[in-house]
Amino acid sequence: MSQIKAVRGTRDLLPPETELWNHIEATARRVFARYAFGEIRTPIFEDTQLFARGVGEETDIVSKEMYTWEDRARAQSEKAQMLTLRPENTAGVVRAYIEHKLGDTGLLQKLYYIGPQFRRERPQKGRYRQFFQIGAEVIGPTSAGSESPLRDAEILEMLGTLLGELGITGWMLELNSVGSAADRPRYVQALREALVDVAATLCADCQRRAVTNPLRVLDCKVPEDQGKINELPKIADFLDEDSRAHFAMVCAALDACDVPYTINPRLVRGLDYYTRTTFEFTHGGLGAQNALLGGGRYDGLSEAIGGPKAPGIGFAMGADRLVLTLQAQAAEGGANNAAILVDVYIAPLGGAQQAQSLVLARELRRAGLRVELGDGTFRLKKSFEMGNKLARKIVLFGEEEAASGIVTIKDFETGEQTKVPRGELADFLSTKHSRFPVARE
Ligand code: AMP
C-alpha cells in the first residue's frame, strides 16, 4: 500500500527540536508576563468574513492563500457558513476583544498568543503552510492611551529584549510609518498617478497591483524593478502633522533605550489594516525568507470588523524562523542535535540490576536530573556507545555496586572514573555539568 505522508507544507516536529520550541515559548511567556501581557487563545477557524474584512480582500493572504470551506448547513433553510483556517491571529484577537466587550473595562488590553496559522503559500525554507506564530496585541479605548507612541516603542523594546533572551544575535529592526487612515488615501492616489507612467515597465505582478492595490508594488522583490520603485513617491512626504509627531516620538523613545533601527520607507507590509507604525525584524541568516517577525499599528481594525473605536498595535513572530535561526547559531557553535541529551546514562550491568536501576533513575529524576536508562542485557561496550551518544556521564550499576551502595561514574569527556556513594550521586551530577545545546532557564 502506498505510504501516507504529512501534507505538503506541513511537518512533524520531533525531539530534540521540540525542546527548542518549548524553550522559545517559555522564554516568550516569561518576557510577556514582565510587560503585563496575558495569554489569549482564539479558535483555529473563524468566519471567513473576519479575514476578508479584517485583513483585506486585496491582500495575497485573503485573495490566494486561505484554506476556506463551506460548512454543512444545519437545516435546509439555513445558508451554509463559509469558514477559514486562521491565516493570522490579529483579526481573531480583535474579534474576541469586541465580542467580550473588553473595551468596557476602560483598560488597555495586552494579549499574547502562541499557535499555528495556515496559509497556502509555496513551501520553501522558512515558509510553510502550517506555521507557528508567537504574537501580541495592545488594544483599547483611546482614553486608555492605546494611541500613544509609547505603546509602539514599548513593544519594540520588548521585542529586542525577547530576542536577546532567546539568544538571537544579529537581528535588524526596520521601521516605517504608513500614516493614518486620512493620510493613506492621499498617498495611494499619488502612487497610482506615478505608476501610470512606469507600471508598464514593471513586472506582471506590479502591473496588476498598480491597479488593484498600488501599495503592494512597494513589496516587489524583482531586482530589475527596484530602481524604479525607489523613485516612486514616499509615504513620509504624505504624513499629516499628527502622524509625523507620532512617528518622531516612537523614534525618540527607541533612541532613549538604545534600540537600534533603520527607517525603511518602503515597509508597508502585506496586510491592509496597518496604520502609522509598521516594523519588521529581519535576520541575515534566514536566506530569502528573512523576516523573523512583523507588525504594526492598526487604529481602524476594530471598526472595520464592526466594533467600537479601539486603536491597537501588535506583532507576530515566526516561531519556525526563530527555531531555524537558533539551530544555525547552535550549529556554528558545534552543538550536536541528533538526540535529546541527558545529564547521565545509567547502565545496569545485568538482568538482576534492572529493577534497582529504575529505582536509582527515579531517585535522580526526582532530584531534577535528566536520566536515560540502558538495559541489563547490553554488553558493557554497547552501554558505553549508547551512553556516549546521549549523556556526558555514565553510571555503571552492577552486582558489586548494588551490594556496596557505591556506584562508578565515568565522565566521557575527561575519561575520569570516580566512585560515589549512591546518596551523593545527585549532588555529584549537578546540572551545571549539562551539555545541552540550548540555553536553559
Ligand atoms: P505576517 O503575519 O505575514 O505579518 O508574518 C509575521 C511573521 O510570521 C513573519 O515575519 C514570519 O516570521 C512568519 N511567517 C509568515 N508566514 C509564514 C510562513 N508561511 N511560514 C513560516 N513563517 C511565516
Side-chain angles (χ1 to χ4, degrees):
M1 280 222 275
S2 65
Q3 190 191 342
I4 298 173
K5 298 207 167 137
V7 174
R8 184 168 143 82
T10 72
R11 45 204 194 115
D12 302 305
L13 304 173
L14 306 171
E17 188 183 304
T18 37
E19 180 162 342
L20 196 48
W21 285 81
N22 287 333
H23 159 72
I24 290 169
E25 291 172 7
T27 306
R29 287 177 196 281
R30 209 177 54 222
V31 171
F32 292 156
R34 296 208 305 260
Y35 287 77
F37 282 81
E39 184 177 5
I40 181 169
R41 302 188 189 194
T42 66
I44 303 262
F45 57 90
E46 300 264 6
D47 189 319
T48 305
Q49 275 308 306
L50 174 65
F51 305 114
R53 279 160 57 190
V55 180
E57 301 266 16
E58 288 300 332
T59 59
D60 280 356
I61 295 179
V62 174
S63 63
K64 307 196 278 220
E65 297 169 359
M66 296 205 303
Y67 287 95
T68 295
W69 70 99
E70 191 182 282
D71 202 24
R72 248 177 250 163
R74 266 180 302 167
Q76 279 212 319
S77 56
E78 206 182 61
K79 211 168 152 265
Q81 194 180 13
M82 296 307 291
L83 302 177
T84 295
L85 285 182
R86 62 185 189 196
E88 58 93 60
N89 221 152
T90 301
V93 171
V94 177
R95 178 201 49 69
Y97 171 90
I98 298 167
E99 199 166 329
H100 300 283
K101 300 192 170 43
L102 298 181
D104 291 357
T105 60
L107 297 172
L108 271 188
Q109 300 295 311
K110 298 176 95 173
L111 302 165
Y112 77 86
Y113 59 84
I114 297 180
Q117 318 293 336
F118 307 84
R119 293 181 198 171
R120 203 173 184 293
E121 294 191 87
R122 197 169 53 76
Q124 56 176 272
K125 182 185 167 209
R127 189 159 79 187
Y128 312 98
R129 290 180 171 180
Q130 171 173 308
F131 58 100
F132 293 81
Q133 284 186 335
I134 299 175
E137 317 291 347
V138 180
I139 178 171
T142 313
S143 59
S146 55
E147 264 181 307
S148 166
L150 203 57
R151 308 294 19 156
D152 309 40
E154 181 188 38
I155 282 216
L156 293 165
E157 186 277 316
M158 175 175 81
L159 284 166
T161 298
L162 174 53
L163 291 175
E165 291 195 21
L166 285 171
I168 290 181
T169 51
W171 50 264
M172 280 200 10
L173 163 57
E174 292 182 23
L175 195 61
N176 192 23
S177 174
V178 295
S180 66
D183 306 331
R184 262 225 283 186
R186 288 189 294 122
Y187 175 58
V188 171
Q189 186 52 32
L191 206 52
R192 217 181 268 283
E193 282 164 20
L195 279 165
V196 169
D197 294 335
V198 282
T201 65
L202 299 175
C203 70
D205 272 343
C206 281
Q207 293 185 23
R208 184 177 47 79
R209 292 173 184 143
V211 182
T212 58
N213 193 347
L215 274 184
R216 297 272 75 80
V217 170
L218 305 181
D219 295 336
C220 174
K221 299 276 186 311
V222 175
E224 298 77 53
D225 290 357
Q226 300 309 304
K228 286 171 234 156
I229 294 173
N230 286 336
E231 296 290 303
L232 291 169
K234 304 236 177 335
I235 182 96
D237 298 326
F238 291 80
L239 301 187
D240 65 17
E241 206 48 45
D242 280 355
S243 295
R244 225 180 276 267
H246 192 276
F247 192 51
M249 266 289 285
V250 175
C251 296
L254 290 178
D255 292 338
C257 42
D258 291 327
V259 177
Y261 59 91
T262 53
I263 293 174
N264 173 359
R266 279 177 54 181
L267 185 72
V268 291
R269 315 227 344 101
L271 298 87
D272 278 355
Y273 51 60
Y274 288 117
T275 50
R276 294 190 171 163
T277 314
T278 54
F279 56 87
E280 226 165 65
F281 282 69
T282 58
H283 197 282
L286 277 167
Q289 300 303 315
N290 69 348
L292 280 175
L293 69 94
R297 182 165 271 289
Y298 44 80
D299 293 341
L301 177 55
S302 172
E303 287 145 297
I305 56 178
K309 181 170 167 63
I313 177 163
F315 66 86
M317 39 206 304
D320 306 78
R321 296 187 190 173
L322 297 177
V323 169
L324 282 172
T325 308
L326 286 174
Q327 281 173 333
Q329 287 183 191
E332 273 172 26
N336 167 13
N337 275 322
I340 281 238
L341 300 178
V342 297
D343 295 310
V344 65
Y345 185 86
I346 298 178
L349 300 183
Q353 279 79 51
Q354 300 224 114
Q356 274 307 309
S357 300
L358 188 57
V359 175
L360 178 61
R362 185 180 63 177
E363 277 168 30
L364 299 181
R365 286 168 174 157
R366 285 187 176 173
L369 290 157
R370 296 191 178 206
V371 180
E372 183 55 304
L373 192 57
D375 193 284
T377 63
F378 291 170
R379 287 171 178 278
L380 196 58
K381 183 161 175 268
K382 179 160 177 187
S383 289
F384 269 99
E385 279 170 10
M386 301 275 265
N388 198 19
K389 281 187 188 153
L390 298 172
R392 181 173 162 148
K393 294 191 175 69
I394 187 167
V395 167
L396 302 176
F397 196 68
E399 212 171 315
E400 195 189 310
E401 284 83 2
S404 67
I406 294 179
V407 298
T408 305
I409 302 180
K410 182 167 173 170
D411 186 314
F412 288 117
E413 270 157 35
T414 61
E416 211 174 302
Q417 203 154 305
T418 323
K419 288 198 181 296
V420 179
R422 199 168 147 166
E424 294 168 21
L425 202 52
D427 275 350
F428 185 86
L429 293 167
S430 77
T431 42
K432 68 175 189 284
H433 298 300
S434 152
R435 72 176 215 200
F436 295 98
V438 179
R440 303 217 276 129
E441 285 164 50

